[in-house]
Amino acid sequence: MTDLSHERVPYTGLIEEKVDSQELFKGHFLQAFRDTVRLPSSALAKREYVVHPGAVMVIPLLEGDDGQVQMVLERQFRYPIGQVMIEFPAGKLDPGEDCFHCAQRELLEETGYSATHWAHAGVLHPVIAYSTEFIDIWFARGLSAGSQKLDEGEFLDVFTANMTQLLQWCAQGQVTDGKTLTGALWLQNVLSGAWSLEWQEVSIA
């Protein structure tokens, strides 16, 4: 195995330079492009990709009196693959919206919950081969139940599960959504104490 521990600088020799760009499609919130790029070898190549506005995912934690932690999850039909998926609450950024506000908004709209404590975990790039999409990952606790504010045409089944159940679903292939699999990994490490979070208290309007 190659030892890369000494590498501490960007791999500038791998960067591709955009020479030309052609818009192929412009939809409601997605755009597709075909770019001409110059490779590190100086040869030219084509790159087709989708521009996405970015999104957030929230891992909402319900802490019981017995100390057991439950996660708030959703079931949602995803048309492109024709399946009902188990997912953490998530949604795309509105134009000009910051990620934290989006996380608060999506949690309330999709689940009806508001949270008093929030922690930013990190960023996920789910489809680096053909999309600019990033997903900002947030944890939320101190949950208060309220009413959902779903978009027109949006249908969700909100439910709770514990860590054992979630990991079992991941192992059995019942959870195949990439962001939720990443969320499960992050949560497992947080609950074990291997990874830390910096929690901040936020007042609920």
Side-chain angles (χ1 to χ4, degrees), residues 126-183:
V127 281
I128 56 174
Y130 60 87
S131 177
T132 65
E133 181 179 5
F134 68 89
I135 301 176
D136 221 37
I137 303 172
W138 291 84
F139 279 69
R141 69 184 189 193
L143 303 184
S144 299
S147 300
Q148 290 173 292
K149 299 179 181 179
L150 297 176
D151 295 333
E152 184 178 356
E154 188 175 26
F155 300 91
L156 299 172
D157 174 35
V158 178
F159 67 103
T160 60
N162 60 40
M163 194 68 219
T164 300
Q165 291 171 313
L166 177 58
L167 291 179
Q168 185 176 41
W169 295 334
C170 293
Q172 294 173 344
Q174 293 177 262
V175 173
T176 60
D177 170 54
K179 67 182 183 300
T180 302
L181 289 169
T182 299

Side-chain angles (χ1 to χ4, degrees), residues 107 114-118 140-144 199-204:
L107 178 63
S114 299
T116 60
H117 289 76
W118 290 83
R141 69 184 189 193
L143 303 184
S144 299
W199 291 93
Q200 295 186 2
E201 186 171 1
V202 178
S203 60
I204 299 177

Side-chain angles (χ1 to χ4, degrees), residues 78-150:
R78 292 298 191 176
Y79 181 81
I81 59 171
Q83 294 183 34
V84 174
M85 306 294 287
I86 295 174
E87 307 174 43
F88 282 115
K92 67 179 180 66
L93 292 163
D94 286 340
E97 186 177 33
D98 70 78
C99 290
F100 179 51
H101 180 269
C102 183
Q104 291 178 298
R105 176 178 58 77
E106 288 292 344
L107 178 63
L108 177 61
E109 289 179 356
E110 293 194 353
T111 71
Y113 283 103
S114 299
T116 60
H117 289 76
W118 290 83
H120 182 242
V123 178
L124 162 68
H125 292 95
V127 281
I128 56 174
Y130 60 87
S131 177
T132 65
E133 181 179 5
F134 68 89
I135 301 176
D136 221 37
I137 303 172
W138 291 84
F139 279 69
R141 69 184 189 193
L143 303 184
S144 299
S147 300
Q148 290 173 292
K149 299 179 181 179
L150 297 176

